[in-house]
């Protein structure tokens, strides 16, 4: 299913891990294969029925998929009501919602009332002729593409009609049949033909190079026809200007990754998706070129395999890609709202997935601290990572468990605090590094969790044991254990925060304190009435919003204070939070709060007080985030770090799924045994689902039984 990637491919797959992503780099696929119940990894065709089920034509049976489970239909030699062949090539739904399947042995009609098939065979020289394409042309009439030419099938009479077609039409060897309104486009090795249903006229639309097979046709508009070929790339034909333009792999300009094009489809944004032997291509209208997406063993969310044999857009706007050896790939824009930044072995990436702090400097570079991989520097210009894994002098513990980063833009220095490692100062211009720990300085603790500026050329430093002031010029630490009034300060501070009025907030395992700065002294602040619940809370984060609220994230929920009106707000899981353990808080352009927790990411509408929660199923790095690891970039993107990398997203572009699925009853159980039509129970006569009422017709005496229905969202 997966192929080996060489050096050039490794360079290509690096880019999805960069923070400034192109349009195709936001596309990540979910994979569905044999492990999930798919019968074969080769997918020739995809379609969807009225009930929402997906149908897949494979090399080993037809698969019906309800979003949870597969039902596989194979040929059974002893059962004439089974499908005509295990090898199916196409699936079509007609205007009466009948499901037609073209197979290697003939035409099959699925009866969803009885869950069985009716088969129709067209013989030539004593052999059954394969049906490769099916087009409904009018009520109870089908046009079929076969190796023996084009046929008609009368549904009511249940017979093939070849003599009703003109010899020129019947004699065509169609590789593609596509209907657009009154016109049927026919792709052959001799070019593309157009057949008008209303007058029965067959005309040649356009020539292609001799011997080149037109495999797939897509009408983007009535005047814009895309032609996929075997070996000669992709053609665009303009019916108004009669211009034929060729996009090829060799020209070095188009961006097409292969000349063997097998599938075409349009997404909800009317972008052209092109499946080739070399991967997926998406047409960029502005540059008249293609972006390429390929398979990778090491890139999460890449294609499962490069040979994209079929592409289909479902009723919800999701894109399904069937490959030749890699099963199914699924993409939906709403499943890709969040991007994941992770450590990738052997690639330029994060050094470690447990992220503990994220800071953006004034040049839009990122400084990312990790638990076991030291400090990461992400260069915005080159879009590459640099890792700093320091060795802090003679300490037994390496300087790798980073807890905090402070960027001094004036002095061009990076101050880094680590657990068990003390404090490090990186001079960016010279690259010179200073270490401060208990062995080489008067730093009383090697556990540094928070560093902020005092606004006067010095630093406030929080360790687990002490609150410290650092004189940058003198390179000297001073323990601040009492406030200006002589009161002893709380211990075990992990977090320091300076608000818009230059007040210092200290928080940690023993609650919060608020101070006014007077030189290197801290005086108790009385502007806020600190509730008793906060005086004992385990504090993980502070955040000040544009409306003047000071938000506090704790292990006991979310709190808000406002100085002007003495308001005090509290939110817990009872109010809609996914967890009471709050790690990070950020505000978006709409005034909504985004909150990282121990059970996912939550968005609070401050006006309504309602939460919208997201989990790993929505594409997050994981459900568990980390304290201190959050940052809103200057371009509006938010970054939240956790135990499995970083979740990146632009909150203003997030939209919810507008599709409301209907409940559909698909199975009936009596005493935990599934009831089938016409079985020994006599309960169920048909597998008929009435759309308007969504119930199954069953015998009256079913009321006497204990029944269990399985529901799914169709």
């Amino acid at each position: 299913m997966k192929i080996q990637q060489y050096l050039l491919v490794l360079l290509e797959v690096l880019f999805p891990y960069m923070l400034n992503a192109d349009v195709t780099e936001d596309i990540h696929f979910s994979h569905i294969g044999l492990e999930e119940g798919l019968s074969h990894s080769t997918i020739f065709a995809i379609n969807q029925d009225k009930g929402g089920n997906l149908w897949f034509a494979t090399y080993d049976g037809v698969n019906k998929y309800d979003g949870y489970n597969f039902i596989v239909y194979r040929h059974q030699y002893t059962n004439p009501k089974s499908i005509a062949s295990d090898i199916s090539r196409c699936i079509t739904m007609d205007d009466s919602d009948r499901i037609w399947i073209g197979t290697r042995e003939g035409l099959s009609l699925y009866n969803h009332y009885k869950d069985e098939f009716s088969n129709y065979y067209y013989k030539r020289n004593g052999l059954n002729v394969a049906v490769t394409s099916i087009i409904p042309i009018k009520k109870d009439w089908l046009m079929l593409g076969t190796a023996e030419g084009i046929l008609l099938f009368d549904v009511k009479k249940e017979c093939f009609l070849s003599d009703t077609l003109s010899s020129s039409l019947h004699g065509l060897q169609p590789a593609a049949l596509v209907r657009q309104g009154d016109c049927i486009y026919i792709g052959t090795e001799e070019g593309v033909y157009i057949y008008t249903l209303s007058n029965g006229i067959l005309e040649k639309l356009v020539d292609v190079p001799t011997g080149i097979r037109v495999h797939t046709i897509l009408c983007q508009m009535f005047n814009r026809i895309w032609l996929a070929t075997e070996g000669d790339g992709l053609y665009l034909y303009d019916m108004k200007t009669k211009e034929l333009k060729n996009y090829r792999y060799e020209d070095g300009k188009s961006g097409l990754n292969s000349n063997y094009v097998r599938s075409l489809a349009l997404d909800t944004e009317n972008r052209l998706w092109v499946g080739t032997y070399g991967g997926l291509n998406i047409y960029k209208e502005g540059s008249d070129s293609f972006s390429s997406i390929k398979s990778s063993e090491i890139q999460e969310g890449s294609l499962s395999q490069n040979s994209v044999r079929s592409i289909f857009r479902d009723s919800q706007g999701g894109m399904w890609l069937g490959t030749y050896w890699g099963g199914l790939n699924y993409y939906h824009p709403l499943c890709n709202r969040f991007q994941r930044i992770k450590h990738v072995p052997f690639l330029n990436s994060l050094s470690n997935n447990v992220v503990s702090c994220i800071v953006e400097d004034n040049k839009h570079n990122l400084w990312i601290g990790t638990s076991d991989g030291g400090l990461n520097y992400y260069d915005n210009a080159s879009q590459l990572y640099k890792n700093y894994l320091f060795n802090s002098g003679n300490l037994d513990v390496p300087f790798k468990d980073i807890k905090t980063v402070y960027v001094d833009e004036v002095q061009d220095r990076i101050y880094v605090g680590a657990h068990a490692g003390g404090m490090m100062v990186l001079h960016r211009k010279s690259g010179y590094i200073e270490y401060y720990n208990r062995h080489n300085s008067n730093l009383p603790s090697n556990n540094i969790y928070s560093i902020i500026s005092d606004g006067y050329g010095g630093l406030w430093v929080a360790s687990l044991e002490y609150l410290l002031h650092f004189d940058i010029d003198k390179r000297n630490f001073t323990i601040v254990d009492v406030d200006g009034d002589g009161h002893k300060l709380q211990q075990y501070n992990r977090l320091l925060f300076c608000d818009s009025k230059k007040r210092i907030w200290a928080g940690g395992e023993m609650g919060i304190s608020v101070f006014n700065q007077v030189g290197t002294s801290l005086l108790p602040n009385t502007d806020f009435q600190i509730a008793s619940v906060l005086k004992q809370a385990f504090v993980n984060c502070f955040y000040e919003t544009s409306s003047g609220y000071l938000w506090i994230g704790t292990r006991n929920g979310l709190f808000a204070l406002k100085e002007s009106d003495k308001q005090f707000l509290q939110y817990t899981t009872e109010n809609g939070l996914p967890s009471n353990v709050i790690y990070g808080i950020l505000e978006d352009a709409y005034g909504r709060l985004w909150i990282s927790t121990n059970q996912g990411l939550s968005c609070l509408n401050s006006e309504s007080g309602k939460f919208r929660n997201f989990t790993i199923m929505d594409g997050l790095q994981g459900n568990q985030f980390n304290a201190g690891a959050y940052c809103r970039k200057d371009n509006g993107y938010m970054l939240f770090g956790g135990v499995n990398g970083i979740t990146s997203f632009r909150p203003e572009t997030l939209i919810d799924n507008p599709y409301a699925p209907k409940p559909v009853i698909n199975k009936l159980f009596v005493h935990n045994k599934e009831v089938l039509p016409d079985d020994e129970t006599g309960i169920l006569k048909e597998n008929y689902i009435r759309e308007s009422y969504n119930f199954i017709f069953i015998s009256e005496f079913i009321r006497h039984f204990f029944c269990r229905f399985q529901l799914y969202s169709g």
Side-chain angles (χ1 to χ4, degrees):
M1 186 180 290
K2 296 181 179 179
I3 62 176
Q4 289 186 337
Q5 306 297 311
Y6 296 93
L7 180 59
L8 291 177
V9 178
L10 294 179
L11 293 174
E12 291 178 10
V13 303
L14 169 65
F15 293 98
Y17 295 94
M18 299 177 179
L19 300 180
N20 297 320
D22 194 7
V23 60
T24 58
E25 292 160 359
D26 291 334
I27 295 177
H28 302 278
F29 293 100
S30 302
H31 303 148
I32 302 172
L34 304 183
E35 297 81 2
E36 289 73 32
L38 188 68
S39 65
H40 200 273
S41 58
T42 301
I43 314 296
F44 291 116
I46 307 170
N47 215 321
Q48 187 175 26
D49 63 26
K50 188 177 180 181
N53 301 294
L54 273 297
W55 290 78
F56 307 106
T58 81
Y59 212 61
D60 184 24
V62 168
N63 295 238
K64 181 172 73 172
Y65 183 56
D66 63 10
Y68 299 96
N69 302 296
F70 284 92
I71 298 177
V72 180
Y73 298 99
R74 292 185 176 94
H75 177 67
Q76 303 169 20
Y77 291 99
T78 59
N79 183 9
K81 295 181 179 180
S82 66
I83 194 169
S85 171
D86 289 346
I87 302 175
S88 51
R89 294 287 185 175
C90 59
I91 301 174
T92 298
M93 282 66 182
D94 65 18
D95 295 337
S96 301
D97 299 320
R98 291 172 295 204
I99 301 171
W100 297 91
I101 301 164
T103 79
R104 186 173 181 265
E105 299 294 329
L107 180 67
S108 294
L109 170 64
Y110 175 69
N111 186 331
H112 64 89
Y113 301 121
K114 297 290 187 180
D115 194 33
E116 62 187 30
F117 292 87
S118 299
N119 301 309
Y120 309 95
Y121 304 97
Y122 183 83
K123 292 185 177 294
R124 181 61 61 92
N125 299 323
L127 300 175
N128 294 328
V129 175
V131 176
T132 56
S133 51
I134 306 170
I135 298 292
I137 57 174
K138 63 179 182 178
K139 185 175 175 60
D140 296 326
W141 281 68
L142 303 175
M143 180 178 285
L144 310 177
T146 77
E148 299 296 329
I150 295 177
L151 304 174
L152 294 182
F153 183 78
D154 189 318
V155 178
K156 283 189 174 181
K157 296 181 179 180
E158 299 184 328
C159 64
F160 294 90
L161 305 172
S162 59
D163 55 353
T164 59
L165 297 173
S166 65
S167 58
S168 57
L169 179 60
H170 174 65
L172 292 177
Q173 302 294 317
L177 284 178
V178 175
R179 179 175 178 177
Q180 183 76 20
D182 192 43
C183 299
I184 293 178
Y185 298 89
I186 307 169
T188 72
E189 290 187 359
E190 292 78 35
V192 178
Y193 295 82
I194 183 170
Y195 178 72
T196 306
L197 290 170
S198 57
N199 57 25
I201 296 176
L202 178 69
E203 301 174 285
K204 194 168 195 179
L205 180 66
V206 61
D207 283 307
V208 295
T210 304
I212 298 299
R213 188 183 191 194
V214 177
H215 184 78
T216 306
I217 302 171
L218 186 143
C219 304
Q220 190 171 16
M221 293 175 287
F222 281 98
N223 65 311
R224 198 174 191 185
I225 313 296
W226 293 94
L227 311 174
T229 73
E230 288 276 326
D232 202 42
L234 182 68
Y235 286 88
L236 174 60
Y237 180 67
D238 192 313
M239 295 188 66
K240 287 185 177 180
T241 65
K242 308 301 181 183
E243 179 185 1
L244 184 66
K245 184 175 182 178
N246 186 210
Y247 299 87
R248 297 181 58 83
Y249 169 70
E250 292 89 354
D251 61 17
K253 297 179 181 179
S254 69
L256 200 68
N257 56 27
S258 174
N259 287 330
Y260 291 84
V261 185
R262 303 304 303 274
S263 50
L264 303 170
L266 298 173
D267 64 12
T268 54
E269 300 177 28
N270 204 40
R271 296 184 301 180
L272 179 69
W273 289 45
V274 183
T276 76
Y277 282 177
L280 173 67
N281 304 260
I282 296 180
Y283 181 65
K284 298 184 293 185
E285 195 79 36
S287 61
D288 191 31
S289 63
F290 295 87
S291 295
S292 177
I293 302 175
K294 293 190 174 186
S295 172
S296 169
E297 283 187 331
I298 55 179
Q299 179 189 341
E300 184 180 8
S302 71
L303 284 173
S304 59
Q305 198 256 338
N306 278 332
S307 183
V308 180
R309 187 61 177 76
S310 52
I311 307 177
F312 178 77
R313 186 183 77 196
D314 66 26
S315 58
Q316 298 186 46
M319 302 298 292
W320 294 84
L321 278 64
T323 65
Y324 202 86
W325 298 115
L328 290 163
N329 297 257
Y330 175 72
Y331 163 81
H332 195 287
L334 297 183
C335 296
N336 289 265
R337 295 171 291 184
F338 301 97
Q339 290 78 53
R340 288 165 288 186
I341 304 166
K342 300 176 63 176
H343 169 67
V344 185
F346 312 111
L347 280 183
N348 182 269
S349 64
L350 280 178
S351 60
N352 184 260
N353 280 330
V354 182
V355 178
S356 50
C357 58
I358 310 171
V359 176
E360 184 183 33
D361 64 25
N362 62 359
K363 295 183 180 179
H364 310 300
N365 307 306
L366 292 177
W367 298 87
I368 304 169
T370 68
S371 176
D372 197 46
L375 179 67
N376 293 261
Y377 169 68
Y378 178 78
D379 188 290
N380 186 64
S382 67
Q383 299 184 333
L384 294 173
Y385 290 91
K386 181 179 180 180
N387 176 238
Y388 297 89
L389 187 59
F390 306 105
N391 186 3
S392 55
N394 57 359
L395 291 182
D396 294 333
V397 180
F399 196 95
K400 63 180 182 179
D401 190 358
I402 309 300
K403 295 300 183 183
T404 184
V405 174
Y406 168 69
V407 180
D408 186 344
E409 301 286 3
V410 177
Q411 299 293 330
D412 205 18
R413 298 172 182 171
I414 310 297
Y415 293 85
V416 185
H419 179 80
M423 187 175 79
M424 183 274 294
V425 185
L426 171 64
H427 298 251
R428 282 201 287 187
K429 288 184 179 180
S430 65
Y432 176 69
I433 297 174
E434 300 176 67
Y435 291 103
Y436 296 89
N437 54 61
R438 293 180 62 185
H439 298 275
N440 65 6
S441 70
N442 68 334
L443 179 64
S445 171
N446 288 330
N447 302 312
I448 306 301
Y449 275 63
S450 186
I451 303 172
I452 64 171
S453 172
D454 66 2
Y456 303 101
L459 300 174
W460 292 106
V461 180
S463 74
L464 291 181
E465 301 89 350
Y466 306 97
L467 180 61
L468 308 167
H469 185 268
F470 180 66
D471 190 309
I472 294 177
D473 294 330
K474 296 180 180 181
R475 294 178 168 84
N476 182 65
F477 293 90
T478 301
I479 297 175
V480 183
D481 54 359
V482 295
D483 62 26
D485 294 337
H487 299 111
K488 189 174 179 62
L489 300 183
Q490 68 182 38
Q491 289 185 309
Y492 302 106
N493 291 307
R494 295 170 174 258
L495 180 65
L496 297 173
F497 175 78
C498 184
D499 66 19
S500 58
K501 294 186 177 181
K502 308 300 181 183
R503 293 171 295 209
I504 301 297
W505 295 73
E509 300 178 20
M510 307 294 291
I512 65 173
S513 303
V514 192
F515 303 99
N516 296 321
Q517 296 186 79
V518 180
T520 60
S521 298
L522 298 175
L523 294 176
N525 179 275
T526 57
D527 298 333
F528 295 87
Q529 294 291 327
I530 307 300
S532 57
V533 65
L534 286 176
K535 291 181 179 179
Q536 301 177 3
F538 193 131
V539 179
N540 286 326
C541 59
F542 294 104
Y543 189 82
E544 188 176 10
T545 64
S546 56
S547 60
Y549 279 93
L550 197 289
W551 291 85
I552 305 166
T554 77
R555 297 186 67 85
N556 301 107
L558 180 67
F559 299 85
L561 305 175
K562 192 171 186 180
E563 179 183 4
S564 61
D565 54 11
K566 309 298 181 182
Q567 276 193 306
F568 176 76
L569 304 175
Q570 180 179 0
Y571 298 94
T572 66
T573 53
E574 295 182 358
N575 305 107
L577 273 171
S579 168
N580 286 331
V581 181
I582 310 299
Y583 290 128
I585 306 168
L586 292 172
E587 183 182 23
D588 67 18
Y590 298 136
R592 300 173 301 185
L593 291 184
W594 292 85
I595 305 149
S596 60
T597 78
N598 212 40
Q599 293 293 328
L601 190 66
S602 187
C603 179
L604 170 63
N605 186 320
S606 54
E607 293 183 359
S608 66
K610 294 183 178 180
F611 292 88
R612 169 74 165 92
N613 299 322
F614 303 88
T615 69
I616 191 173
M617 300 301 296
D618 297 292
L620 306 182
Q621 55 83 34
N623 287 335
Q624 182 179 337
F625 287 86
N626 208 356
Y630 56 99
C631 171
R632 186 175 188 267
K633 297 180 66 185
D634 189 62
N635 62 6
Y637 273 84
M638 289 185 177
L639 307 175
F640 287 94
V643 298
N644 198 29
I646 298 172
T647 294
S648 171
F649 64 101
R650 181 79 178 266
E652 292 79 12
T653 62
L654 294 183
I655 57 173
D656 282 329
N657 188 0
Y659 178 83
K662 301 184 297 182
V664 178
I665 300 172
N666 71 341
K667 289 186 180 181
L668 170 67
F669 290 82
V670 176
H671 299 307
N672 292 322
K673 182 180 179 181
E674 184 178 358
V675 178
L676 301 174
D678 294 329
D679 63 9
E680 67 275 7
T681 66
I683 296 173
L684 189 62
K685 295 182 178 180
E686 296 180 337
N687 269 353
Y688 183 77
I689 300 175
R690 181 182 289 179
E691 293 285 336
S692 58
Y693 298 102
N694 290 327
F695 70 91
I696 301 176
F697 288 115
I698 57 178
S699 302
E700 285 295 320
F701 66 86
I702 191 65
R703 304 172 189 265
H704 299 289
F705 290 87
F706 172 77
C707 302
R708 176 169 62 92
F709 295 95
Q710 284 190 344
L711 300 179
Y712 77 97
S713 296

